[in-house]
């Protein structure tokens, strides 16, 4: 395998296993701990396979296309027999000449198809080669672009000068910006192919999708890191790679970017495209009365996007480089990158884009016979569940109803009958949803108390019947929302009239709208009182501005099959605080299509243990043959002595460590935890990271330590930092933590470093590296079991017990709880060792970790080196030994 340096033995094994899985068309679960060069192994293993596969394919094509005289053409492979085919046993009565004729025709068609593909490929390769070497071509394109811009500007000025003299019928026409808020005529319920606005005769539009690898990960930063690894690899120069992202990441139109929230950006972009297409048809029908001119996106130019597509295919670029290129070439990177998909060999994209079918098809991703690699897949099941679940609050439902009602009143005379029909259906749905929560849609949700509080779980059908909406076709309503962009129009309407600062002229129409302003104000005041949960500003803006966008997601979720999901009615103090939530129980239904269509699927991660979840909940439920599934797990590259994992069963005063819900709040348990930390901080240099099961428990323990004076004792050895709840403060806390450790190691003295108190499942337990001095010891306090009283989890447990067979005598629900707990533990403790020369100790504080069922769910490279210590004394001696070794080698 080509590699930028001499690979570790485990990397060679990983690549060989990956190559084998891709060749055989398997579904692979691959585990390679962080710090073992997993990304490079994936790149070099997968691209080596792709290069060999393309070579074989071209050799086969050359053989089939060899001239008749060479004698090779006659040796074509026989077409496999199928039922109903002339050469299958069922059709034995067909004469030989018919069989021969059909076979000949199939071979001829195949050769024709191969010739066409070869011509297209040659054309593409020539075009890319030209761009790669011809700098003049780039300048010519740029010059042409600036000339076009200048022409457009002059034309616009001329139009403005001409229009100044023309009077407009003020009474009949709304002003330009308000004209955009009116829904276009909705012609039909049948889905139509929207005019794409592209030149239909262009060869490139029909381009075949070449065999490619789709690589997806969780975040854009992980994807950028992967692209940089590709650039450094031996395949960096000649791989056609495309990075896909959301409009939020790729949009270069500042006016649209300013909207901030993803849903608003999406809708505005779609609106601008629609305007472009309408503008074209308007120009064609010059005789007809034209609507007011609408905004179109200056970056949505097909010619420029073609140029961008070719630039992307010529050289490997990450998202940032793609955006810079889009600005420079005045072409949309979002659409330009999509045009590059058919010819690309490696497509890099976020989870959501691949796992959510509507997003996948909108992006033009075709999975048939392709390879998919899902990296950082430890929480794949949760990701699929989250993507397909949806929640709406009572205040959002009431707010959307009020906005839509005001919108309908304002434009009633301008709306066509079909639009009015659908708006009334949506209003009825909103009314019924609020009624189910025990409220009235016409009253302020923050002032309506709910008589029966509590949580009720219902099947989809039961919910539809109880809400009296089983007679409404939700599929049609959903399609209408999608095609008409009603939520976008509503957002524009609220921007115009709902803003409290906007002065509204006191005419008869606008008096009706004053009610909307007051209503939004009371909603805002009401929602401020609801708890102190840290909510992203973007979501705040979206929820306040266009709640209908959120509700569309909920309507879409209700179209799932009855057995695959549940609706949770959560009735709190007021209707505004109550909510409706759709919970997906069976993530396999949405993953099945990916596994069925793809040639091979690789699910990879640093800590994939316990893998039973993937096998049972995802693969077997998706109908994957167990024989098709292959597992690969490799050790770590660090020497065994560089890691010391200890399961500690009791503390310094022989108090047994068992942090169950019943015992963890006892003062003696909290005191014992404090004593363990004090002892460790005395001997462990640098940084110590301590994980608690929840924010509440961490708060409780810290308050107890402060009262007993233990916090002060700890602070003499290590400066104490706490994980913040708000995501935007994490970077700052980490920077200060690192700075403190560096300062202490240089200065010496009594203070030996820092102690970071974190939470399992929080910001610090995933995606953050505590390498070297930042994490010389990682401590896990108790076992972070999920809250089994949560209605969502209870429903999932019930569903698993009904649908999944018992494994090794254990109920599937019990296995789920243990797996969720151990996944969280493995993610947290895996933060410490990040490269070959790193070293750290890991302490698991709870005797239950020693139970075989739990112990076997630790990653193998940690499990093989774990020591179980019944008493604190021997564990402490081991830690002192590690410290001595460190100072010897230092």
């Amino acid at each position: 395998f080509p590699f930028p340096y001499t690979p570790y033995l485990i990397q060679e094994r990983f690549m060989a296993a990956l190559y084998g899985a891709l060749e055989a068309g398997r579904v692979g679960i691959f585990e390679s701990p962080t710090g073992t060069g997993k990304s490079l192994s994936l790149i070099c293993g997968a691209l080596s396979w792709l290069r060999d596969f393309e070579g074989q394919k071209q050799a086969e094509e050359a053989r089939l296309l060899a001239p008749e005289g060479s004698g090779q053409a006659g040796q074509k492979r026989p077409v496999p027999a199928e039922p109903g085919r002339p050469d299958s046993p069922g059709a034995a009565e067909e004469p030989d000449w018919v069989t021969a004729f059909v076979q000949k025709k199939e071979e001829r068609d195949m050769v024709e198809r191969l010739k066409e593909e070869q011509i297209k490929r040659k054309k593409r390769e020539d075009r890319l080669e030209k761009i790669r070497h011809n700098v003049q071509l780039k300048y010519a394109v740029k010059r042409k672009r600036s000339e076009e811009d200048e022409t457009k500007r002059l034309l616009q000025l001329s139009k403005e000068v001409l229009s100044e003299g023309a009077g407009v019928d003020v009474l009949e026409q709304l002003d330009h910006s308000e004209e955009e808020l009116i829904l276009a005529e909705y012609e039909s319920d049948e889905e139509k192919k929207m005019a794409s606005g592209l030149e239909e005769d262009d060869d490139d539009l029909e381009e075949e999708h070449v065999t490619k690898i789709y690589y997806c990960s969780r975040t854009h930063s992980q994807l950028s890191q992967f692209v940089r690894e590709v650039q450094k690899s031996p395949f960096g120069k000649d791989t056609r790679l495309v990075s896909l992202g959301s409009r939020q990441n790729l949009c270069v139109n500042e006016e649209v970017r300013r909207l901030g929230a993803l849903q608003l950006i999406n809708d505005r972009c779609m609106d601008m495209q629609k305007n472009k297409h309408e503008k074209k048809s308007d120009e064609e029908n010059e005789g007809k009365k034209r609507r007011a001119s609408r905004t179109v996106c200056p970056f949505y130019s097909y010619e420029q996007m073609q140029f961008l597509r070719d630039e992307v295919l010529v050289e490997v670029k990450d998202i940032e480089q793609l955006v810079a290129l889009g600005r420079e070439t005045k072409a949309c990177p979002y659409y330009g990158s999509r045009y590059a998909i058919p010819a690309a060999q490696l497509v890099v994209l976020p989870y959501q884009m691949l796992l959510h079918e509507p997003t996948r098809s909108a992006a033009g991703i075709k999975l048939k016979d392709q390879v998919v690699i899902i990296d950082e897949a430890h929480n794949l099941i949760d990701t699929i569940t989250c993507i397909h679940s949806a929640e709406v609050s009572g205040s959002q439902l009431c707010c959307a109803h009020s906005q839509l009602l005001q919108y309908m009143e304002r434009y009633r005379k301008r709306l066509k009958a079909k639009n009015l029909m659908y708006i009334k259906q949506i209003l009825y749905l909103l009314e019924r949803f609020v009624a189910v929560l025990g409220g009235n849609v016409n009253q302020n949700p923050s002032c309506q108390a709910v008589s029966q509080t509590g949580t009720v779980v219902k099947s989809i059908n039961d919910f539809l019947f109880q809400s009296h909406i089983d007679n409404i076709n939700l599929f049609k309503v959903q399609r209408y929302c999608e095609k008409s962009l009603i939520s976008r129009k509503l957002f524009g309407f609220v921007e115009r009239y709902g803003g409290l600062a906007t002065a509204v002229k006191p005419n008869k129409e606008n008096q009706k709208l004053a009610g909307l302003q007051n209503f939004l104000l009371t909603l805002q005041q009401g929602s401020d009182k609801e708890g102190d949960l840290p909510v992203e500003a973007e979501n705040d803006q979206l929820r306040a501005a266009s709640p209908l966008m959120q509700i569309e997601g909920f309507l879409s979720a209700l179209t799932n099959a009855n057995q695959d999901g549940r609706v949770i009615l959560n009735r709190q103090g007021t209707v505004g605080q109550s909510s409706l939530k759709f919970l997906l129980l069976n993530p396999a239904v949405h993953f099945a299509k990916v596994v069925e269509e793809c040639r091979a699927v690789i699910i990879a991660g640093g800590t994939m243990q316990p893998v039973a979840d993937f096998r049972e909940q995802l693969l077997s439920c998706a109908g994957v043959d167990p024989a098709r599934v292959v597992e690969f797990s490799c050790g770590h590259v660090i020497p065994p002595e560089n890691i010391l994992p200890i399961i500690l069963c009791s503390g310094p005063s022989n108090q047994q460590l068992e942090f169950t819900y019943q015992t963890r709040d006892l003062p003696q348990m909290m005191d014992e935890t404090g004593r363990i930390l004090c002892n460790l901080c005395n001997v462990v240099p640098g940084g110590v990271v301590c994980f608690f099961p929840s924010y509440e428990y961490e708060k409780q323990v810290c308050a107890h330590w402060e009262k007993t004076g233990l916090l002060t004792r700890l602070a003499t050895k290590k400066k104490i930092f706490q994980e913040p709840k708000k995501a935007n403060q994490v970077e700052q806390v980490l920077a200060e933590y690192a700075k403190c450790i560096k300062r202490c190691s240089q200065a010496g003295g009594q203070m030996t470093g820092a102690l970071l108190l974190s939470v399992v499942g929080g910001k610090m337990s995933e995606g953050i590296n505590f390498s070297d001095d930042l994490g010389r010891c990682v401590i896990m306090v108790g076992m972070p079991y999920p809250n089994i009283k949560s209605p969502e989890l209870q429903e999932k447990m019930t569903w698993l017990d009904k649908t999944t067979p018992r494994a090794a005598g254990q109920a599937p629900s019990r296995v789920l709880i243990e797996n969720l707990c151990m996944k969280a533990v493995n993610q947290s403790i895996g933060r410490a060792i990040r490269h070959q020369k790193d070293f750290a100790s890991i302490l698991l504080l709870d005797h239950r970790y020693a139970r075989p069922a739990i112990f076997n769910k630790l990653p193998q490279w940690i499990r093989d080196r774990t020591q179980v210590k019944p008493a604190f004394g021997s564990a402490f001696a081991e830690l002192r030994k590690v410290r001595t070794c460190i100072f010897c080698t230092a």
Side-chain angles (χ1 to χ4, degrees), residues 269-310:
C269 175
M270 300 290 285
D271 218 12
M272 283 177 147
Q273 277 182 64
K274 214 172 175 188
N275 295 343
K276 186 173 177 127
H277 304 139
E278 279 174 14
K279 196 173 167 191
K280 270 198 165 183
S281 60
D282 279 346
E283 282 162 11
E284 284 159 17
N285 310 326
E286 277 175 27
K288 294 184 182 177
K289 182 178 167 189
R290 226 185 266 184
R291 300 183 80 169
S293 75
R294 296 167 158 214
T295 322
V296 296
C297 183
F299 296 92
Y300 191 72
S301 144
Y302 182 58
E303 199 177 339
Q304 295 312 125
M305 290 190 292
Q306 262 189 315
F307 176 71
L308 184 98
R309 171 200 65 187
D310 292 344

Side-chain angles (χ1 to χ4, degrees), residues 590-602:
H590 295 284
F591 194 60
K593 205 154 195 181
V594 176
V595 185
E596 279 165 22
E597 290 189 350
C598 290
R599 173 198 173 92
V601 176
I602 304 296

Side-chain angles (χ1 to χ4, degrees), residues 825-889:
V825 170
N826 293 343
Q827 269 311 300
S828 303
I829 61 179
R831 305 289 97 213
I833 302 282
R834 310 309 279 179
H835 58 83
Q836 192 183 14
K837 294 194 173 113
D838 207 351
F839 56 87
S841 47
I842 295 169
L843 246 75
L844 305 174
L845 308 187
D846 200 309
H847 75 94
R848 292 174 295 170
Y849 281 111
R851 292 177 183 167
I854 303 289
F855 184 77
N856 289 331
K857 285 174 181 169
L858 286 167
Q860 191 177 348
W861 65 279
I862 292 179
R863 191 169 66 226
D864 291 346
R865 303 162 193 191
T866 301
Q867 303 179 22
V868 179
K869 298 288 182 186
F872 182 73
S874 56
F876 193 59
E878 287 291 337
L879 285 160
R880 289 181 80 99
K881 240 190 269 173
V882 170
R883 182 174 184 250
T884 320
C885 292
I886 291 162
F887 285 125
C888 291
T889 54

Side-chain angles (χ1 to χ4, degrees), residues 5-156:
Y5 53 83
T6 309
Y8 303 130
L9 180 64
I10 58 171
Q11 285 178 313
E12 285 183 346
R13 284 184 194 146
F14 186 102
M15 290 186 284
L18 177 65
Y19 191 104
L22 298 180
E23 186 62 30
R26 300 292 191 89
V27 175
I29 303 172
F30 278 62
E31 181 180 52
S32 177
T34 311
T36 54
K38 170 167 56 81
S39 299
L40 262 179
S41 305
L42 280 169
I43 292 163
C44 298
L47 289 176
S48 293
W49 171 81
L50 187 64
R51 189 191 54 194
D52 292 352
F53 178 80
E54 284 175 349
Q56 286 166 9
K57 202 173 170 190
Q58 282 173 16
E60 180 66 10
E61 277 177 22
R63 195 178 65 75
L64 286 169
L65 295 173
E68 294 288 331
S70 68
Q72 284 190 313
Q75 299 166 16
K76 285 166 190 158
R77 281 195 294 190
V79 178
E82 282 176 25
R85 282 267 180 93
D87 53 348
S88 61
E93 65 275 5
E94 293 282 12
D96 288 348
W97 66 269
V98 173
T99 309
F101 175 78
V102 170
Q103 215 165 354
K104 259 285 191 277
K105 188 180 183 311
E106 280 177 354
E107 285 170 3
R108 259 201 319 274
D109 290 349
M110 190 178 173
V111 168
E112 282 305 310
R113 197 174 66 248
L114 287 176
K115 275 181 185 166
E116 273 175 39
E117 276 177 27
Q118 217 173 35
I119 291 165
K120 279 183 187 173
R121 189 169 64 237
K122 185 85 178 75
K123 209 170 158 186
R124 182 184 68 227
E125 283 167 5
D126 291 349
R127 193 179 68 230
L128 296 182
E129 202 56 36
K130 204 168 155 190
I131 290 173
R132 200 174 271 126
H133 298 297
N134 193 346
V135 185
Q136 286 302 109
L137 186 72
K138 289 189 186 181
Y139 287 124
V141 171
K142 274 189 188 172
R143 195 173 61 249
K144 189 182 175 198
R145 192 165 54 246
S146 57
E147 282 168 9
E148 281 173 1
D149 287 351
E150 186 60 18
T151 312
K152 272 184 195 167
R153 195 177 66 80
L154 292 170
L155 193 64
Q156 187 60 36

Side-chain angles (χ1 to χ4, degrees), residues 88-330:
S88 61
E93 65 275 5
E94 293 282 12
D96 288 348
W97 66 269
V98 173
T99 309
F101 175 78
V102 170
Q103 215 165 354
K104 259 285 191 277
K105 188 180 183 311
E106 280 177 354
E107 285 170 3
R108 259 201 319 274
D109 290 349
M110 190 178 173
V111 168
E112 282 305 310
R113 197 174 66 248
L114 287 176
K115 275 181 185 166
E116 273 175 39
E117 276 177 27
Q118 217 173 35
I119 291 165
K120 279 183 187 173
R121 189 169 64 237
K122 185 85 178 75
K123 209 170 158 186
R124 182 184 68 227
E125 283 167 5
D126 291 349
R127 193 179 68 230
L128 296 182
E129 202 56 36
K130 204 168 155 190
I131 290 173
R132 200 174 271 126
H133 298 297
N134 193 346
V135 185
Q136 286 302 109
L137 186 72
K138 289 189 186 181
Y139 287 124
V141 171
K142 274 189 188 172
R143 195 173 61 249
K144 189 182 175 198
R145 192 165 54 246
S146 57
E147 282 168 9
E148 281 173 1
D149 287 351
E150 186 60 18
T151 312
K152 272 184 195 167
R153 195 177 66 80
L154 292 170
L155 193 64
Q156 187 60 36
L157 280 172
S158 315
K159 279 181 181 172
E160 282 168 15
V161 170
L162 284 171
S163 64
E164 274 171 19
V168 179
D169 186 350
V170 183
L171 288 173
E172 194 193 321
Q173 271 204 304
L174 301 166
D175 70 37
H176 285 203
S177 62
E178 196 165 359
E179 190 70 49
E180 289 194 11
L181 301 178
I182 294 171
L183 288 160
E185 184 170 357
Y186 188 71
E187 292 169 356
S188 160
D189 285 338
E190 299 307 312
E191 283 206 65
K192 287 202 174 95
K193 285 200 174 166
M194 286 175 70
S196 64
L198 309 177
E199 287 74 11
E200 291 303 319
D201 56 353
D202 198 300
D203 266 356
D204 301 324
L205 284 180
E206 293 149 35
E207 194 169 5
E208 281 290 308
H209 280 243
V210 302
T211 301
K212 61 176 68 32
I213 294 162
Y214 286 100
Y215 170 89
C216 54
S217 193
R218 252 175 356 120
T219 63
H220 280 289
S221 60
Q222 286 168 341
L223 293 172
S224 292
Q225 203 178 328
F226 178 80
V227 174
R228 284 194 290 276
E229 292 278 359
V230 175
Q231 287 168 334
K232 287 188 290 187
S233 79
F235 297 91
K237 290 277 181 282
D238 52 4
T239 297
R240 298 190 299 277
L241 179 146
V242 180
S243 294
L244 300 182
S246 63
R247 286 182 176 91
Q248 204 171 23
N249 291 93
L250 290 174
C251 178
V252 287
N253 184 333
E254 286 308 320
E255 180 207 326
V256 178
R257 280 177 74 87
R258 273 198 294 272
L259 292 169
L262 177 63
Q263 188 67 53
L264 303 180
I265 292 173
N266 283 345
D267 280 13
R268 185 77 187 113
C269 175
M270 300 290 285
D271 218 12
M272 283 177 147
Q273 277 182 64
K274 214 172 175 188
N275 295 343
K276 186 173 177 127
H277 304 139
E278 279 174 14
K279 196 173 167 191
K280 270 198 165 183
S281 60
D282 279 346
E283 282 162 11
E284 284 159 17
N285 310 326
E286 277 175 27
K288 294 184 182 177
K289 182 178 167 189
R290 226 185 266 184
R291 300 183 80 169
S293 75
R294 296 167 158 214
T295 322
V296 296
C297 183
F299 296 92
Y300 191 72
S301 144
Y302 182 58
E303 199 177 339
Q304 295 312 125
M305 290 190 292
Q306 262 189 315
F307 176 71
L308 184 98
R309 171 200 65 187
D310 292 344
E311 280 287 322
V312 164
L313 292 171
V314 162
E315 189 183 11
V316 173
K317 289 175 181 62
D318 65 16
I319 292 276
E320 287 74 25
Q321 292 166 323
L322 186 58
V323 169
L325 181 68
R327 287 204 175 99
E328 185 195 325
T329 57
K330 287 205 163 38

